[in-house]
Amino acid sequence: RLIVNFVLCLICFIAYSSQIFIIWPWYGGVLSVELLTLLLPFNVLVLILLWNYWLCVVTDPGRVPDSWKPDTHMDGYEVKKLTGGPRYCRMCQNYKPPRTHHCRDCNRCVLRMDHHCPWINNCIGHFNHGHFIRFLFYVDLSCSYHIAMVTRRVFSSMNGHYWDEPSSSELVMIILNYVACVPVLVVVGGFSLYHFYSLMANTTTIEGWEKDKAATMVRRGQVREIKFPYDLGARRNIESILGSRPLFWCWPSRTPGNGLRYELS
């Protein structure tokens, strides 16, 4: 929870210190249409970012029902490699639905587990994966807008007019905002590219590791090449997480399905 509060403080510092101590003095502390045109889109992005972050934190990623058992007469249930029987969690004393894994941090099985994220103090699973993808997307957009906004202020001070020169406190805040925002954009941006690629391939982080391991075994001739069963094509892969209506992909919404069964390719 300390980490979650740290993330919230970091977001709020980047979002609001830039407006209060850099942009507002730049416009002379006077509310104007030009100022609102600049700041309103930024604040909308920040608001949706915080909303998706909150949903990532509080949404249960998905629990296995106590009485759940796999239907061994239908396609799509996963088996243990050694025994050929349905996957079973000895820690939870329950069967595992497809794509489910046990999280040691949460001490339970998570539906369609992607990974445990300490930055949200929660697992990324079936029911909050869409919120996590949207959170990354809005972090990238907000940070890019922030850097462009602050950089515009810096360039305006280089035109030679004394009234545009930033004060000492403004200069300190400009430096602090760059120090806080640029590393976030670089790190989260790289992280986002990986997860956007995984979204289009309908692959979780754990399944990505398994696919890499399987590809290595294929190259060594240890196993035959196996097709990943959940890749439905880029459009349908995205729809399986963000919903079937593209206009609402960027809006917080519930992930389709119940997390116990998935369509096969």
Side-chain angles (χ1 to χ4, degrees), residues 242-263:
L242 303 182
S244 59
R245 296 180 292 179
L247 289 177
F248 291 92
W249 283 353
C250 295
W251 189 256
S253 58
R254 179 184 173 90
T255 303
N258 59 10
L260 300 174
R261 184 174 177 80
Y262 295 92
E263 187 178 355

Side-chain angles (χ1 to χ4, degrees), residues 158-176:
M158 300 170 63
N159 61 14
H161 298 304
Y162 70 89
W163 58 81
D164 265 344
E165 292 181 1
S167 64
S168 299
S169 59
E170 284 183 76
L171 187 59
V172 170
M173 293 307 299
I174 288 172
I175 295 172
L176 288 177

Side-chain angles (χ1 to χ4, degrees), residues 1-11 53-54 57 117-122:
R1 293 183 180 181
L2 288 175
I3 296 178
V4 171
N5 285 318
F6 168 77
V7 172
L8 288 172
C9 290
L10 180 61
I11 293 172
Y53 181 72
W54 175 250
V57 174
C117 181
W119 300 104
I120 66 170
N121 192 34
N122 199 1

Side-chain angles (χ1 to χ4, degrees), residues 205-219:
T205 298
I206 295 175
E207 290 167 348
W209 298 336
E210 293 172 342
K211 287 170 70 175
D212 291 341
K213 182 179 179 181
T216 300
M217 296 175 70
V218 169
R219 287 196 301 269

